């Protein structure tokens, strides 16, 4: 069983989180530091490019975002939203495609999502990706 999130591994410097990819490949392995990642080693997620830049307020626009170091490998790993509080609108994540060789420590890929409907006259809407 992997260490609990936030637990420190023996001799480790930073907070440790489970390395789910490695655990899935070795499901019968007992708890060991090699199955956890030091969060200080993770890259800083970034959106490198996205498009199209606009669409109708009725939603339904497919947007592709080129990302780096986003620790997500399936659509269910992500939330894409605009706004906050009661006005928060969630987009539907359609796909996550990571480049060959991508892992939790370093990755490049493309996230595609479908924009939600927003009230007419809303103006520009900024979307946020959260893993």
């Amino acid at each position: 069983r992997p260490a609990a999130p936030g637990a420190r591994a023996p001799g480790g410097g930073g907070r440790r989180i489970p390395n789910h990819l490695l655990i899935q490949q070795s499901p019968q392995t007992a708890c060991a530091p090699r199955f956890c990642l030091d969060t200080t080693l993770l890259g800083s997620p970034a959106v490198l490019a996205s498009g199209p830049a606009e669409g109708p307020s009725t939603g339904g626009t497919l947007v592709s975002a080129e990302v780096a170091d986003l620790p997500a490998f399936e659509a269910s790993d992500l939330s894409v939203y605009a706004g906050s509080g009661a006005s928060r609108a969630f987009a539907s994540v359609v796909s996550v495609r990571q480049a060959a060789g991508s892992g939790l420590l370093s990755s490049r890929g493309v996230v595609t999502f479908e924009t939600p409907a927003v009230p007419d006259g809303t103006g520009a809407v900024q979307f946020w990706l959260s893993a």
Side-chain angles (χ1 to χ4, degrees):
R1 195 173 78 194
R8 292 186 184 273
R15 197 179 119 212
R16 301 282 180 157
I17 60 173
N19 181 339
H20 293 286
L21 293 175
L22 189 55
I23 291 168
Q24 286 176 343
Q25 294 168 0
S26 306
Q28 302 301 320
T29 304
C31 182
R34 73 183 185 104
F35 288 100
C36 295
L37 295 171
D38 184 337
T39 57
T40 62
L41 300 176
L42 297 176
S44 296
V47 175
L48 306 174
S50 64
E54 55 185 59
S57 62
T58 55
T61 301
L62 288 179
V63 176
S64 292
E66 183 182 347
V67 296
D69 297 333
L70 186 67
F73 292 86
E74 298 178 3
S76 61
D77 295 336
L78 287 174
S79 293
V80 179
Y81 60 91
S84 62
S87 65
R88 181 174 280 188
F90 284 88
S92 297
V93 178
V94 175
S95 65
V96 176
R97 294 185 321 271
Q98 292 286 11
S102 290
L104 290 174
L105 298 179
S106 175
S107 65
R108 292 286 292 243
V110 175
V111 174
T112 302
F113 62 93
E114 182 177 349
T115 60
V118 295
D120 281 336
T122 300
V125 177
Q126 185 172 13
F127 285 92
W128 301 93
L129 295 171
S130 176

